[in-house]
């Protein structure tokens, strides 16, 4: 087995002070670099990293590790240009497209914490999760396909950000992938199309060195037994 590509090697595997456990003490790593850069460095850059077949026409896209790395770097640079910083939360409410994976890896690359929200959830569910995590941005799409029908993803996000049952939102930016082509309202100063976000961005954005215990993502429970609870996963623990 290959060793993980530590940016700064850890000095101790576990610091166990019950009930607290701190893993890989002193180590710094980046999940995006583990998923992409390490494969390219190992000579697998031109191998397929992703094969995607989409609704409703069966369109197909393939990305090598090198191509996926370039797309992630462009998105990461775009997010940084918006001012998104390490430790800030970005909600991802997207259809099943390659850009969903790119968005997750781009957040990881700049040290932002991603929170994936199921594309079938309502505007209230989005608002709940944004509020609880103090999300600074939402990455979404104009719409998404599911069983031949168009889901109004951007509309749901707009409703979540103006929900009267929640206090003023912390979200400053909404990034919108053009997927279905349906008409959506774009709020000036807040909303930006995905293709504009990544246009002209560099393809070599360096990965942010993240502490082993730094949050990588938050995943919320469904809320079937009460208020949804955010489950945090750390960087090195996931890598």
């Amino acid at each position: 087995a290959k060793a993980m590509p530590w940016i700064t090697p850890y000095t101790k595997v576990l610091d166990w002070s019950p009930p607290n456990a701190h893993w890989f003490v002193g180590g710094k790593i980046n999940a995006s670099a583990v998923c992409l850069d390490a494969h390219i460095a190992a000579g697998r850059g031109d191998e397929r990293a992703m094969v995607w077949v989409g609704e409703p026409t069966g369109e197909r896209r393939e990305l090598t590790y090198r191509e996926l790395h370039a797309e992630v770097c462009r998105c990461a640079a775009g997010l940084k240009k918006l001012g998104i910083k390490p430790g800030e939360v970005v909600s991802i409410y997207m259809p099943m497209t390659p850009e969903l994976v790119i968005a997750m890896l781009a957040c990881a690359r700049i040290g932002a914490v991603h929170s994936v929200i199921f594309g079938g959830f309502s505007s209230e569910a989005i608002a709940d999760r944004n509020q609880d995590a103090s999300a600074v941005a939402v990455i979404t799409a104009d719409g998404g396909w599911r069983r031949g029908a168009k889901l109004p993803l951007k509309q749901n996000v707009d409703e979540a950000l103006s929900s009267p049952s929640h206090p003023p939102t912390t979200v400053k930016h909404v990034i919108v992938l053009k997927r279905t082509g349906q008409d959506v309202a774009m709020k000036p100063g807040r909303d930006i199309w995905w293709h504009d976000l990544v246009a002209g961005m560099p393809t070599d954005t360096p990965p942010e060195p993240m502490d082993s215990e730094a949050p990588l993502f938050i995943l919320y429970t469904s809320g079937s037994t009460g208020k949804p609870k955010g489950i945090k996963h750390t960087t090195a623990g996931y890598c």
Side-chain angles (χ1 to χ4, degrees):
K2 296 288 185 180
M4 287 202 299
W6 291 93
I7 298 171
T8 301
Y10 59 86
T11 57
K12 187 178 181 180
V13 173
L14 174 62
D15 181 4
W16 173 235
S17 302
N20 299 312
H22 297 277
W23 289 92
F24 307 113
V25 179
K28 292 187 182 296
I29 198 167
N30 185 283
S32 168
V34 174
C35 292
L36 300 172
D37 303 56
H39 289 286
I40 295 170
R44 293 189 289 272
D46 295 323
E47 293 183 13
R48 288 184 299 182
M50 179 189 304
V51 178
W52 172 81
V53 179
E55 285 192 78
T57 60
E59 60 189 298
R60 180 184 176 97
R61 285 172 62 189
E62 295 187 7
L63 291 169
T64 65
Y65 283 106
R66 203 180 312 280
E67 291 167 338
L68 182 56
H69 176 271
E71 293 301 318
V72 168
C73 285
R74 292 171 68 204
C75 183
L79 296 177
K80 288 183 73 171
K81 188 175 180 179
L82 290 181
I84 297 171
K85 297 176 176 59
E88 293 186 322
V89 176
V90 176
S91 294
I92 300 177
Y93 180 68
M94 295 189 74
M96 296 293 285
T97 62
E99 286 79 10
L100 169 59
V101 176
I102 291 165
M104 294 168 63
L105 290 170
C107 288
R109 198 161 191 87
I110 66 171
V113 182
H114 61 274
S115 171
V116 174
I117 302 173
F118 169 51
F121 280 167
S122 68
S123 59
E124 280 295 295
I126 302 167
D128 281 339
R129 287 155 177 78
N130 283 343
Q131 178 188 347
D132 186 76
S134 298
V136 300
V138 177
I139 304 178
T140 187
D142 52 359
W145 294 103
R146 179 161 294 143
R147 298 179 181 177
K150 292 181 182 179
L151 301 180
L153 300 183
K154 176 60 164 59
Q155 180 182 322
N156 289 345
V157 170
D158 288 341
E159 292 174 1
L161 298 185
S162 60
S163 172
S165 61
H166 290 77
T169 181
T170 53
V171 172
K172 301 174 184 175
H173 308 285
V174 177
I175 298 109
V176 187
L177 174 71
K178 188 170 285 189
R179 170 66 181 138
T180 59
Q182 63 204 72
D183 290 335
V184 294
M186 297 291 283
K187 182 176 179 179
R190 186 196 70 181
D191 299 353
I192 182 173
W193 289 107
W194 175 290
H195 57 267
D196 290 331
L197 177 83
V198 303
M201 289 294 108
T203 58
D204 58 353
T205 305
E208 186 74 23
M210 301 302 295
D211 186 83
S212 299
E213 292 281 359
L216 175 62
F217 66 83
I218 301 171
L219 187 63
Y220 282 87
T221 60
S222 64
S224 57
T225 58
K227 184 177 174 62
K229 293 167 276 293
I231 301 166
K232 179 186 77 174
H233 214 309
T234 58
T235 298
Y238 194 76
C239 292

